[in-house]
Amino acid sequence: MKSAVETLNPTRVRLTVEVPFEELKDSLDAAYKKINQQVTVKGFRKGKIPARVIDQRFGRGAVLEEAVNDALPKFYTEAVNEAELSVLGQPEVDITELKDGETLNFTAEVDVRPALEIPDYSGIEVEVDAVEVTDEDVEKSVEQLRERFASTSPVERAAEDGDVVTIDLEAKVDGEVLEDGVATGVSYTIGSGELLDGIDDAVKGLSAGEEATFTSELKGGSAAGKEAEVTVRVTQVAARELPELDDEFAQLASEFDTLEELKADSRKRLENMKQYDQATQAQERVLEKLLELVEVPVPEKLLEDEINTRKHNLEHHQLGQMGLDLEKYLEIQGKTAEEFEDETREAAVKGIKTQFVLDELVKQEKLNVNQEELTEHLMRRAASSGMSPDQFAQAVVEGGQVPLLVGEVARGKALAVVVEKATVKDTNGEIIDLDDEDEADEAAEAADGTEAEAAAETAEAAAEDEAAEKTEG
């Protein structure tokens, strides 16, 4: 076999491959064997039909077609490996010549990773938010904890802001009660905004046993997005009572003996959260600066695939879980379809460029991923997906996704190398020392559980966007 490579543009090549006919022997034998198992010829046992009979009865062309279809992937792969190409996606193959007993010639056009030059990045400088925790921040954190330990007691009066009411709901659309539009014994805190728009105004002023009707757009269910007439009946009004902010509360709500110790711990947790946010911000801004330094051509077909994947995931997974369609989502976001298209394309371009650049850095810096690093990353991904580590690992292995995870870890290490060499200052002009990723992880672990979880999910989502997994060749 002989092959040659022609560069069509920085991200696409054409392979020209010439295969001597004798190299098709194995595929021809396999073709005859396959046809033998599929057809019946009177006078011959199944599977024992001579090749000449198959040629006479079914045509030599059918055999050649089967043999070529079998052989093409092997010869294409050999040509790719011989040229040391990093291909992306599937090739467009064209058989240019097929002479029985003589030769098979074909071309294959395919997208490839562009050759990149990573310039010196040691001079990158970025600014991040300073870590500042005010007394108001601490008071707000303690107040949120206090809210979690509030108690309720029934009262014989009309409902007010902050009360917890027990209600029955009935929703009608076009005068008909919805099958899934009836709920009883629902507990709702007035002012929380956790149910339907307009419900707060409807229930305020109602006492137990009274009802009101209001109009609201349904957020979920069979009639999501439609205007409904909702009847709400109050069955109980309960006042929320907050515990006193004193040492007794500190002992109830934490492992501390005094309120001052609780406040000091809250301050430390908030500082840790802000440090984690600061480290994430530094990574994002260093990455942006790095991308500005590198000229990265993007294959158009790959870009279109990535855009379609992002749209599909948004429409069929994220929005589907919220009971929204794309049109309603855009309305809520206050965006036009054109703005959405532009933002999606921009994000896809950035994701592809990020992966190309970081993958090149992995090679340039000769970075490897060990088992411990892969396991730690798998644990984080499992936690963000809501699966157990064992379930997630099994899904990854069965789906053949291990190389993707390895790539994610390697790219994370590559970015860490760049961040380490960058100059990071906060808004106060202080140089920030981002020693290593472990420090940020420790900060996240030390931070308040709910807030840390949200930050981790945000960081993971950003990482997935930047990694643009679909660009794996």
Side-chain angles (χ1 to χ4, degrees), residues 42 78 103 140 301 348 440 464:
K42 189 175 181 179
E78 286 181 10
T103 185
K140 183 179 179 182
K301 177 65 166 61
E464 288 178 356

Side-chain angles (χ1 to χ4, degrees), residues 151-177:
S151 59
T152 59
S153 56
V155 291
E156 298 295 328
R157 59 166 173 77
E160 301 173 353
D161 258 330
D163 285 345
V164 178
V165 289
T166 304
I167 54 177
D168 297 337
L169 294 165
E170 181 184 83
K172 294 181 181 179
V173 173
D174 298 329
E176 296 291 330
V177 178

Side-chain angles (χ1 to χ4, degrees), residues 39-52:
V39 301
T40 301
V41 176
K42 189 175 181 179
F44 296 94
R45 286 183 296 163
K46 196 174 184 67
K48 299 296 183 179
I49 308 169
R52 60 179 175 77

Side-chain angles (χ1 to χ4, degrees), residues 216-456:
S216 183
E217 184 179 296
L218 299 179
K219 296 180 179 179
S222 61
K226 292 185 178 180
E227 288 287 327
E229 183 182 84
V230 182
T231 300
V232 55
R233 178 180 176 82
V234 176
T235 59
Q236 179 181 278
V237 178
R240 297 177 75 251
E241 297 176 1
L242 296 173
E244 291 293 326
L245 281 178
D246 52 22
D247 292 347
E248 187 176 338
F249 167 70
Q251 294 163 20
L252 169 70
S254 70
E255 70 271 29
F256 302 107
D257 294 324
T258 68
L259 183 61
E260 287 308 308
E261 289 176 324
L262 174 60
K263 287 184 176 181
D265 181 69
S266 294
R267 183 178 294 275
K268 181 62 177 174
R269 287 175 181 270
L270 289 171
E271 287 174 352
N272 286 335
M273 272 304 304
K274 287 180 179 286
Q275 286 171 352
Y276 178 82
D277 291 342
Q278 188 186 65
T280 301
Q281 192 178 66
Q283 290 177 340
E284 292 172 351
R285 293 184 178 177
V286 167
L287 175 61
E288 288 173 1
K289 291 281 188 179
L290 176 64
L291 293 181
E292 290 174 5
L293 294 176
V294 188
E295 184 72 29
V296 186
V298 175
E300 192 58 35
K301 177 65 166 61
L302 181 66
L303 176 58
E304 292 306 315
D305 288 345
E306 178 64 14
I307 290 172
N308 291 334
T309 297
R310 287 170 183 260
K311 287 180 180 177
H312 179 85
N313 289 340
L314 175 65
E315 292 188 59
H316 298 280
H317 297 293
Q318 295 162 267
L319 296 184
Q321 291 175 356
M322 295 186 288
L324 297 174
D325 58 19
L326 183 59
E327 184 179 353
K328 186 61 183 175
Y329 167 76
L330 293 180
E331 182 183 326
I332 293 171
Q333 294 290 314
K335 295 177 183 175
T336 65
E338 291 74 18
E339 288 172 335
F340 170 72
E341 290 287 339
D342 290 343
E343 289 179 6
T344 303
R345 175 172 287 269
E346 184 179 336
V349 167
K350 184 180 179 183
I352 293 171
K353 286 185 175 182
T354 295
Q355 181 167 336
F356 283 171
V357 170
L358 294 183
D359 282 348
E360 185 64 30
L361 271 172
V362 169
K363 290 195 296 183
Q364 182 174 301
E365 300 291 342
K366 296 181 173 59
L367 300 175
N368 295 310
V369 176
N370 60 41
Q371 186 61 48
E372 183 181 355
E373 291 167 333
L374 182 60
T375 300
E376 288 177 359
H377 183 65
L378 187 147
M379 299 279 280
R380 286 196 293 270
R381 288 292 304 271
S384 68
S385 70
M387 301 170 69
S388 72
D390 287 345
Q391 288 175 323
F392 188 80
Q394 183 178 352
V396 166
V397 172
E398 290 178 353
Q401 302 298 302
V402 173
L404 289 180
L405 286 190
V406 173
E408 288 175 5
V409 178
R411 286 189 285 275
K413 294 179 71 171
L415 180 55
V417 169
V418 183
V419 172
E420 186 179 351
K421 293 184 179 181
T423 300
V424 182
K425 294 182 180 179
D426 67 16
T427 48
N428 294 328
E430 297 289 330
I431 293 181
I432 307 301
D433 183 17
L434 300 170
D435 284 339
D436 56 28
E437 194 177 339
D438 292 339
E439 195 171 293
D441 289 343
E442 288 170 7
E445 289 171 7
D448 177 77
T450 304
E451 293 174 338
E453 203 171 288

